Amino acid sequence: MRIFSGIQPTGRKHLGNYIGAISQYVSSQERGEGIFCIVDLHAVTVAYEPAELRERLYDTTAILLAAGLDPSRCTIFRQSDVAEHTELTWLLSSVTELGRLQRMHQFRDKELAQRELVSAGLLLYPVLQAADVLAYRAQEVPVGEDQREHLELMRDIARRFNARYGDGQEVLVVPEHRIPAVGARIMDLQDPTRKMSTSGSGESGTVYVLDEPKAIEKKLASAVTDSGSEVRRSPEKPGISNLIEILAAVRDADPAAVEAEFADARYGEFKAAVAQDVVAYLAPVRERYEQLRADVPALEAILDDGAGRARVIASDTLADVRDRMGVGAPRAARAGRPSGAVDTVPG
Ligand code: TYM
């Protein structure tokens, strides 16, 4: 089974990213061929600082490695190193409905958040995301709940491409999302009606993967709880429900088991237990990170090797897609040419 996922190199990675996505990437290495892409081209669709983008990309790469992605067992690469992603975006845009892109929740949220330019890139963001996955004919995509809509669009794009150009064949694989049962949507600690994110209620609502233990303890101690005193999940208790979900996720336990264990506990006691386990969960990642992040040439070598492996797969898909769409020379003719012939300028 081929498993693909992408993560943005922007902002600092937080507990939501870690529980909802990164921990799934790590465990997927046991189940199949994992391909993980750090999506720097997605990052340029909103205002950003060019000088910082590469640094953040190294940060994200080092976090993925520190979490347990092993480049000898999976492929880790930088999106912009594999040009097939952008070409496929363009080709797939011809089977993507404009109105659907305009209605996407993330587009509308980000559109409202932009102070200056709402770029065309922001609108095309989900098509690039579809291209990321479809270029590898991946069967499974581990993501958090907030990516569900993007995955549905991606599936529709693949289906529409196959219907229009496939001649009865599944040229592009229609992928399945893999959203975890526990921790698919970790909420902000200060405003548990919003998902945890780098642009949420501020520093105190978001636990970062690289936070010091003291900072994690402080954030959890001041997490918003609800009226009442029972440690129990309920729609009226979003704060406590979120903490139960967090503790269950970091322990790899059932939320019901957490509720049972803390049935007689006070909120303060429960929050201290959550803090302790979150600190223990993230501590090894932070320790490994420091060493990995310090060696930029080693990170570049991993990304470069990953891009080489990714390109082999993506270029094969692209050759099929171009062929089906009638773009460029026929695949059979291209295969027969001596390598390099296409690009050589005679004389
Ligand atoms: P990004 O970088 O925003 O987030 C990376 C992953 O973290 C998950 N996530 C969460 N999970 C649980 N609780 C939260 N509060 C939380 N916040 C974020 C996200 O669901 C995601 O899985 N568009 C994507 C990147 C992308 C991609 C792809 C993903 C580009 N191409 C191809 C899958 C396949 C994004 O912005 O993720």
Side-chain angles (χ1 to χ4, degrees), residues 15 189 204 207 215-224 243 246 271-272 274-276 278-279:
L15 188 61
L189 299 180
S204 55
V207 172
I216 298 177
E217 283 160 13
K218 202 166 151 210
K219 287 175 185 181
L220 280 158
S222 62
V224 166
L243 296 177
I246 290 174
K271 289 206 275 187
V274 180
Q276 190 185 13
V278 170
V279 167

Side-chain angles (χ1 to χ4, degrees), residues 262 264-274:
F262 291 92
D264 300 322
R266 290 171 185 277
Y267 281 173
E269 198 185 321
F270 173 59
K271 289 206 275 187
V274 180

Side-chain angles (χ1 to χ4, degrees), residues 35-36 70-78 81-82 297-312:
I35 305 179
F36 304 102
D70 174 357
S72 68
R73 288 198 295 161
C74 70
T75 298
I76 306 172
F77 73 104
R78 169 169 43 207
D81 285 344
V82 182
L299 297 176
E300 273 296 349
I302 289 168
L303 293 169
D304 191 49
D305 177 62
R309 284 189 266 157
R311 214 173 282 125
V312 171

Side-chain angles (χ1 to χ4, degrees), residues 5-208:
S5 200
I7 185 163
Q8 294 214 52
T10 41
R12 289 178 285 161
K13 293 300 135 195
H14 53 74
L15 188 61
N17 296 132
Y18 202 90
I19 290 174
I22 298 172
S23 69
Q24 291 202 79
Y25 305 166
V26 175
S27 60
S28 75
Q29 293 178 114
E30 310 295 330
R31 292 185 296 107
E33 176 195 2
I35 305 179
F36 304 102
C37 179
I38 305 169
V39 297
D40 55 346
L41 296 175
H42 276 111
V44 306
T45 58
V46 291
Y48 77 103
E49 200 46 67
E52 273 185 16
L53 184 56
R54 287 198 184 99
E55 296 303 316
R56 298 293 85 80
L57 191 130
Y58 294 138
D59 295 351
T60 307
T61 309
I63 286 188
L64 294 180
L65 296 170
L69 285 190
D70 174 357
S72 68
R73 288 198 295 161
C74 70
T75 298
I76 306 172
F77 73 104
R78 169 169 43 207
Q79 187 184 36
S80 60
D81 285 344
V82 182
E84 280 76 2
H85 291 235
T86 41
E87 182 177 352
L88 188 55
T89 301
W90 180 255
L91 297 173
L92 294 178
S93 72
S94 67
V95 286
T96 307
E97 187 203 343
L98 174 63
R100 179 92 179 266
L101 293 178
Q102 288 165 327
R103 290 191 299 274
M104 301 293 282
H105 289 114
Q106 290 212 353
F107 172 67
R108 294 174 69 155
D109 293 347
K110 288 188 181 173
E111 185 186 22
L112 290 174
Q114 285 311 297
R115 288 203 198 92
E116 290 168 19
L117 176 76
V118 177
S119 70
L122 195 57
L123 185 72
L124 283 171
Y125 182 116
V127 190
L128 177 58
Q129 181 162 346
D132 291 342
V133 176
L134 302 180
Y136 298 89
R137 296 178 162 128
Q139 281 103 351
E140 193 182 284
V141 187
V143 283
E145 174 66 41
D146 63 348
Q147 296 300 314
R148 188 183 286 273
E149 196 183 23
H150 284 156
L151 263 292
E152 270 157 25
L153 176 76
M154 175 186 303
R155 288 165 58 81
D156 285 349
I157 290 176
R159 283 196 205 99
R160 187 169 295 160
F161 181 91
N162 291 338
R164 171 77 179 84
Y165 299 109
D167 207 11
Q169 284 176 318
E170 199 184 42
V171 179
L172 296 177
V173 171
V174 181
E176 303 281 343
H177 61 237
R178 187 181 173 100
I179 297 176
V182 177
R185 192 173 177 83
I186 299 296
M187 308 307 275
D188 188 289
L189 299 180
Q190 290 299 317
D191 178 359
T193 62
R194 301 168 54 149
K195 72 170 182 187
M196 185 176 284
S197 74
T198 25
S199 53
S201 68
E203 190 70 18
S204 55
T206 304
V207 172
Y208 293 101

